[in-house]
Amino acid sequence: RKEVEQDPGPFNVPEGATVAFNCTYSNSASQSFFWYRQDCRKEPKLLMSVYSSGNEDGRFTAQLNRASQYISLLIRDSKLSDSATYLCVVNIETGRRALTFGSGTRLQVQP
Amino acid sequence: EPEVTQTPSHQVTQMGQEVILRCVPISNHLYFYWYRQILGQKVEFLVSFYNNEISEKSEIFDDQFSVERPDGSNFTLKIRSTKLEDSAMYFCASSDSGKGHRDEAFFGQGTRLTVV
């Protein structure tokens, strides 16, 4: 089983749509969870950390389900500028700082 | 807003040559990292550096690679005797100002290494 697994997409959605991405991770002891976005040939940029209680930042909502080892990202009212690859990122082992990246889910928002 | 900066943005080198990739992490961060991304593949961890020594490294980070913090601001990755398969985007990152969200890592814009 891959350490961090994501649906590769692509997700093609119209402007204004709501879209959800899912991610699973293999190590139940994982401590920190993040969503990054990556534009083509650019660096990963931190979108948001994911907390056990769930958290929201504007149009973006992240959820963590530790029992199912599952992380989600919901984007409401999609904008053209949201088109990017969304990376699920996990600090897989307690005490380590190395981040483990999923392969990413490609989102294309269409006018 | 503070950021991680990397130079050069693109490096072309001949197979067998040595390259040094340079990074200036965010100034009050304590942990520094190198990651790489081969075209079309996922981002992979190489090494982390804390308190002037390597704190973690992956299987990719073999004897061909080394890291150094030669002064108070720069953080370098040296690749000896480059191979074709070293062609990738190399990202430097830093994290942990000692307060707030310690694990949130911020990435530089990357150095694209092409080995010919």
Side-chain angles (χ1 to χ4, degrees), chain A residues 32 36 38 43 49 96-97, chain B residues 37 56 101 103-105 108:
Chain A
S32 304
Y36 280 74
Q38 186 175 31
E43 75 274 23
S49 300
R96 290 186 61 200
R97 293 300 184 109
Chain B
Q37 187 174 30
E56 302 168 52
H101 303 293
D103 291 341
E104 290 178 353

Side-chain angles (χ1 to χ4, degrees), chain B residues 46-60:
Chain B
L46 293 178
V47 65
S48 65
F49 194 84
Y50 171 74
N51 201 25
N52 286 319
E53 61 183 23
I54 291 173
S55 54
E56 302 168 52
K57 58 182 181 178
S58 70
E59 290 175 353
I60 303 168

